[in-house]
Amino acid sequence: MSGPPSPRSLPQPGHLYDVAVIGAGLAGTELAWRLARAGQDVLLVTQALDHLGNLYGPTIGGADFPPGSLPAGVAARMGPDTDGWTFHRLLKAEVEATPGIHLLQSTVTGLEEEEERLTLATWEGPALHARRGVLAVGAFLKGRLLIGDTMEEAGRLSEVAYDFLADDLARAGVWLIGGEQEAAGVEGAPPYTVRFLTPAPGELDGFRVTRFDHLYALGRCTPGEHTYRSVLEDAARLAAGLSGEGGA
């Protein structure tokens, strides 16, 4: 059951969100959408709004989105069309129209806890504040994209990696380990490999990052095998926990 939606945030400097979601891929957008519908005041912050909801492949063909999820609803409206850009455009419009979500383009570079809130440092300068934060940065913690003999600092094609944030987590004592993601080539897009970091299994208690009191991690930036379906189902579980409907 969803509670009444909170009004859209009108943030001023020092605004305290209920939850700050760092990363707006499938997991981050699903989590923010569910939390806002449950009455939470949510910040969804991403390095590039034009990449919101992007997938590893250029289409949604074969994507196994669970029923009731935001991507499943968007995909159903697309009918037979599987174009990834159309999917991104419709998903972004849905997120923008959801009361209670502040969608912000900014680069989070560090995290600091103080009493009952989490402060997010940004590359642009302004600090952001929330009662709880969620890492949903996918393959972007020190992401390195390899195509043939070339390498770029990215988590997907032309999407910049979170190097500063990875370094900050390591300074906080979070043990980071390596992960890898393969993207098959399709017409118009070459195959590529992404190598990235995730918190080690021992750094997590369920979704919670144990070295912090108010930080959680979700999706491909956690260790293990993940699919579109699994990260969306995890987002639903975490949303229920953070909104008081279940344990996180």
Side-chain angles (χ1 to χ4, degrees), residues 78-102:
M78 291 173 60
D81 186 11
T82 63
D83 175 64
W85 176 252
T86 301
F87 175 77
H88 152 78
R89 180 173 55 80
L90 294 175
L91 186 73
K92 183 170 181 281
E94 186 70 28
V95 171
E96 290 175 329
T98 301
I101 297 178
H102 177 204

Side-chain angles (χ1 to χ4, degrees), residues 6 11 13 16 27 96 99 103 105 114 124 157 165 184 192 218:
S6 62
L16 182 64
E96 290 175 329
L103 183 57
Q105 181 168 294
E114 43 190 327
E124 293 80 5
L157 287 172
L165 183 55
Y192 62 91
L218 173 70

Side-chain angles (χ1 to χ4, degrees), residues 6-191:
S6 62
R8 180 178 295 278
S9 293
L10 297 174
Q12 300 295 322
H15 182 82
L16 182 64
Y17 299 93
D18 291 323
V19 183
V21 181
I22 306 166
L26 282 188
T29 53
E30 179 76 6
L31 178 64
W33 177 73
R34 286 181 177 271
L35 287 171
R37 283 159 55 91
Q40 299 286 296
D41 178 17
V42 183
L43 169 68
L44 179 57
V45 57
T46 176
Q47 295 184 120
L49 295 179
D50 276 346
H51 297 155
L52 185 147
N54 274 6
L55 307 177
Y56 273 90
T59 78
I60 63 168
D64 185 22
F65 301 139
S69 67
L70 174 60
V74 170
R77 293 189 356 239
M78 291 173 60
D81 186 11
T82 63
D83 175 64
W85 176 252
T86 301
F87 175 77
H88 152 78
R89 180 173 55 80
L90 294 175
L91 186 73
K92 183 170 181 281
E94 186 70 28
V95 171
E96 290 175 329
T98 301
I101 297 178
H102 177 204
L103 183 57
L104 176 68
Q105 181 168 294
S106 187
T107 303
V108 176
T109 57
L111 304 168
E112 183 178 347
E113 284 189 323
E114 43 190 327
E115 298 181 353
E116 296 301 313
R117 72 178 187 177
L118 188 70
T119 296
L120 287 62
T122 67
W123 184 86
E124 293 80 5
L128 307 166
H129 308 283
R131 293 181 176 87
R132 291 166 294 183
V134 180
L135 292 172
V137 294
F140 286 77
L141 286 178
K142 280 284 176 81
R144 295 296 182 269
L145 189 148
L146 296 94
I147 305 177
D149 295 329
T150 66
M151 181 181 75
E152 72 175 277
E153 297 177 359
R156 270 191 302 262
L157 287 172
S158 303
E159 298 186 43
V160 178
Y162 278 98
D163 281 19
F164 289 117
L165 183 55
D167 291 341
D168 183 75
L169 290 168
R171 282 193 295 270
V174 178
W175 178 25
L176 300 174
I177 61 173
E180 186 170 290
Q181 169 73 30
E182 302 284 343
V186 296
E187 184 178 355

